[in-house]
Amino acid sequence: MDFGKKEHVLNYACQLYQLSRPNKVGAVMALIRDCQPSSLEQWKDWYFENAYTATKNPQKATKVTKESLVELGERLYNKIQEFVIPEWEEAFRQLTMQDCIDYVYNVTINRTYDGYIREKSVVNDNLAKRFKDVVFEESDPELDHAGDIDYVAKVGKYQFGIQIKPVTASANFGGYSLSERMKASFDDFTEKYGGKVFIVYSQKENIANKEIIDDIEKEIARLKSM
């Protein structure tokens, strides 16, 4: 389907309100890889037969149906009407030429520098000091996954990936919505290099989601045992 210019609004609102996350529609990339469909019809039938919402407690998972997707679409429409349109209309009314000039400069100069320093600090002052036998390197910009993975960490012949996000990217960490392209990129990295990809949230020079340290430690142990 081609949604034209509406695609930008739909993408923004769907991600903002987390209506396409696995806990709503299931782990679709994992599902389609299990299905290995040869046609759209085969995938559609298989999806509605096998898709369940992804939850930490499998007993609370619910079946994904055509009706549940319709309900998500209705929620998306209501969110856009009630919140997104009024907020954007206000932003459009207040927007100035100077805002645009300042934004382009800020994104190009200030935010790039802040992101660079943040990444260096998270890795060099935190992860590298904690895991001294792991070699952390900036992701090669020539690799396909480089846009989604900031650093690779080498454990013997295997590697795991690190993506670093400012804590403002997700107020509660779990709210950051991966696109299907990024999920596919992460899965491709794991298939090629053996290790998972971890999203680290930074608050200045510190790691905000500290529980990720334990997950990384377990992954290092797993890769060493392979």
Side-chain angles (χ1 to χ4, degrees), residues 32-197:
I32 200 169
R33 285 184 171 130
D34 287 342
C35 176
Q36 295 290 310
S38 57
S39 69
L40 177 61
E41 284 299 315
Q42 182 185 355
W43 158 237
K44 181 176 68 175
D45 293 341
W46 197 93
Y47 173 78
F48 286 118
E49 288 176 7
N50 297 275
Y52 285 82
T53 56
T55 63
K56 292 183 179 180
N57 184 353
Q59 294 180 342
K60 294 185 178 180
T62 59
K63 188 83 167 61
V64 179
T65 64
K66 293 179 182 178
E67 291 74 20
S68 67
L69 293 187
V70 169
E71 192 270 337
L72 287 172
E74 291 173 345
R75 287 171 60 184
L76 176 61
Y77 177 80
N78 291 332
K79 292 292 187 183
I80 290 173
Q81 292 294 321
E82 186 176 356
F83 299 106
V84 176
I85 291 177
E87 289 173 357
W88 281 19
E89 286 179 339
E90 182 181 1
F92 293 153
R93 286 194 300 269
Q94 296 177 355
L95 192 65
T96 67
M97 174 73 79
Q98 192 60 47
D99 288 332
C100 297
I101 294 170
D102 292 343
Y103 177 80
V104 170
Y105 183 92
N106 189 52
V107 168
T108 305
I109 304 299
N110 299 347
R111 292 189 187 180
T112 300
Y113 179 78
D114 288 345
Y116 173 78
I117 295 299
R118 182 179 64 248
E119 289 179 5
K120 287 282 189 184
S121 183
V122 165
V123 173
N124 296 336
D125 297 333
N126 291 274
L127 297 177
K129 289 183 178 180
R130 174 68 179 267
F131 306 110
K132 295 182 180 179
D133 56 344
V134 175
V135 178
F136 292 90
E137 295 180 353
E138 294 179 3
S139 181
D140 188 336
E142 297 299 320
L143 298 179
D144 290 340
H145 66 256
D148 300 320
I149 298 169
D150 299 312
Y151 277 79
V152 295
K154 298 182 178 180
V155 183
K157 63 178 182 179
Y158 301 105
Q159 298 179 28
F160 64 89
I162 299 290
Q163 184 188 76
I164 302 171
K165 289 285 180 186
V167 72
T168 52
S170 169
N172 61 357
F173 309 137
Y176 176 64
S177 179
L178 287 177
S179 67
E180 288 304 310
R181 180 193 60 77
M182 291 177 66
K183 291 175 187 175
S185 177
F186 286 5
D187 288 343
D188 289 343
F189 179 93
T190 299
E191 185 176 346
K192 185 173 182 179
Y193 298 104
K196 300 176 183 177
V197 178

Side-chain angles (χ1 to χ4, degrees), residues 184-213:
S185 177
F186 286 5
D187 288 343
D188 289 343
F189 179 93
T190 299
E191 185 176 346
K192 185 173 182 179
Y193 298 104
K196 300 176 183 177
V197 178
F198 299 92
I199 300 177
V200 176
Y201 292 100
S202 64
Q203 196 163 32
K204 294 184 179 180
E205 71 277 5
N206 299 315
I207 295 176
N209 55 332
K210 297 186 182 301
E211 68 278 2
I212 203 71
I213 298 294

